[in-house]
Amino acid sequence: MSLATTFKLAFASLAIATVFGATPCSTFAAPSNQAESTSNAKVAQEFQVGSLYVEKYSNPNAKGAPVILIPGLASGAYVWDETVKQLRDNHELYVVTLAGFNGKPSIAGPKLPKLKASLLELIQTQKIDKPVLVGHSLGSASSIWFALEHSNLIRGVFAVDGLPVFPGTQNLGADQRKAMAEGARAQMASLDAASFGAQQTQYMRVTGVIDEKLALSLGVRAATSDPIATADYMAELLLLDMRPDLHKITVPVAVVSPFNAPDFARANMNEEGKNAYYKSLVNGIPQLSMISITNARHFVMLDQPQVFNQKLQEFLKKL
């Protein structure tokens, strides 16, 4: 099997699962207590900036760089609970949830431009001294997009399984990309609450995390997001291809590539092959480092929290 065919099989399947979701389950149920936060850290302040709902963790003795943590599609600040526990003693933290996700009200109009503008407003109004952006999935791609224009305002980007172009779409023409985005938007926006919840849970079981119980918990939480807002964010993400402008980023960027061998067995792809593919999509970034974490799916910080947080802290210490 050729390398090109391997990439096509592996990433086409992941892209389809992410955009359209896996086949909805016929039933959907999970204990209500699975949706409760596991974080014991206390929030110093909560406020809204544009389309961002912010949880601020302050420590007057913190000596590390401030950090802004941005979750992915249909997720909330809770995905960073373990990371918050690891960082809050040494870093001022701003953990955000995007409008329309995790039960937060949605906003009208384009979502990603508003997200980028809200990040800028957050940094400026809170007078955050060159934070590090840590983003997952949609949050990762948005962090890279922000760095294209505002590298002077940040110290670096820790990009967790989110890229400047959606994997599997890198060779699409403009018309094809637009058709795919609109198809994804229409299909997801048409789901009723039960179908959307079932889709999110099945996605978590197939692509999100390895542990079944954790997948069910994440599915419950993702189901509280607005299907229409989720569809809008997804469609706008599919339209992005930032590769021509990556040379404009002047801060260090680390790209985290999770790898779970059974998921790639059918395509005969190994860890090195997947990491190389991801690198090919971010090669224009001048100060780039690649981090591969095994035995992890898309929510790598939940599948492998110890390894993930170690890699993140190593990145922060180098800045």
Side-chain angles (χ1 to χ4, degrees):
M1 180 182 293
S2 70
L3 189 61
T5 302
T6 298
F7 287 152
K8 181 178 179 181
L9 287 173
F11 287 94
S13 63
L14 289 179
I16 291 171
T18 303
V19 177
F20 298 106
T23 302
C25 302
S26 57
T27 60
F28 174 74
S32 60
N33 62 1
Q34 287 183 332
E36 295 176 1
S37 175
T38 59
S39 177
N40 294 319
K42 293 183 179 179
V43 181
Q45 188 179 359
E46 294 185 50
F47 54 92
Q48 182 180 356
V49 176
S51 63
L52 306 180
Y53 292 85
V54 185
E55 299 175 5
K56 179 181 178 180
Y57 297 80
S58 296
N59 184 341
N61 298 318
K63 297 181 180 179
V67 177
I68 300 176
L69 295 135
I70 310 166
L73 193 72
S75 295
Y78 57 84
V79 301
W80 301 115
D81 279 353
E82 291 302 318
T83 301
V84 167
K85 292 176 186 178
Q86 295 298 315
L87 297 183
R88 68 189 302 264
D89 287 343
N90 295 312
H91 300 268
E92 182 177 75
L93 305 178
Y94 298 81
V95 193
V96 308
T97 296
L98 308 184
F101 296 164
N102 195 35
K104 302 298 185 185
S106 186
I107 58 170
K111 304 297 188 293
L112 292 185
K114 182 64 174 180
L115 165 56
K116 185 167 63 170
S118 298
L119 272 175
L120 178 61
E121 184 180 354
L122 173 64
I123 292 171
Q124 292 177 332
T125 59
Q126 292 293 308
K127 297 180 172 58
I128 308 175
D129 182 22
K130 292 196 172 182
V132 179
L133 302 184
V134 179
H136 174 241
S137 191
L138 173 77
S140 173
S142 299
S143 297
I144 294 171
W145 196 27
F146 185 88
L148 291 178
E149 296 181 23
H150 303 295
S151 280
N152 62 308
L153 297 179
I154 61 176
R155 302 181 197 220
V157 173
F158 198 75
V160 185
D161 207 18
L163 301 162
V165 62
F166 197 90
T169 72
Q170 68 276 1
N171 295 323
L172 294 183
D175 291 342
Q176 292 173 301
R177 187 176 296 280
K178 183 177 180 181
M180 185 182 207
E182 290 307 314
R185 187 199 306 269
Q187 182 162 344
M188 186 174 288
S190 69
L191 297 177
D192 59 26
S195 297
F196 179 72
Q199 181 199 63
Q200 292 300 309
T201 296
Q202 186 68 352
Y203 167 74
M204 293 299 177
R205 295 176 65 232
V206 173
T207 305
V209 291
I210 295 172
D211 181 79
E212 181 78 6
K213 184 178 179 181
L214 178 58
L216 292 175
S217 174
L218 290 172
V220 169
R221 306 196 84 162
T224 66
S225 297
D226 183 340
I228 295 177
T230 304
D232 287 342
Y233 280 107
M234 186 73 249
E236 292 178 31
L237 180 63
L238 284 168
L239 289 172
L240 288 180
D241 185 355
M242 298 172 263
R243 289 175 295 171
D245 295 321
L246 293 179
H247 65 278
K248 297 178 181 178
I249 299 176
T250 60
V251 295
V253 176
V255 174
V256 177
S257 171
F259 183 78
N260 187 46
D263 295 339
F264 292 86
R266 286 183 59 189
N268 195 30
M269 176 180 276
N270 60 20
E271 181 183 358
E272 291 74 18
K274 193 213 171 183
N275 201 50
Y277 173 70
Y278 268 29
K279 187 176 181 181
S280 74
L281 300 181
V282 293
N283 256 338
I285 298 175
Q287 300 180 64
L288 172 68
S289 58
M290 300 295 302
I291 300 172
S292 183
I293 299 179
T294 58
N295 300 317
R297 284 177 168 167
H298 187 49
F299 287 79
V300 55
M301 64 283 203
L302 301 181
D303 272 336
Q304 294 292 339
Q306 184 174 354
V307 176
F308 174 84
N309 289 318
Q310 178 185 342
K311 297 295 184 182
L312 173 55
Q313 291 189 64
E314 289 173 358
F315 178 76
L316 294 173
K317 288 176 182 178
K318 290 178 182 178
L319 298 178

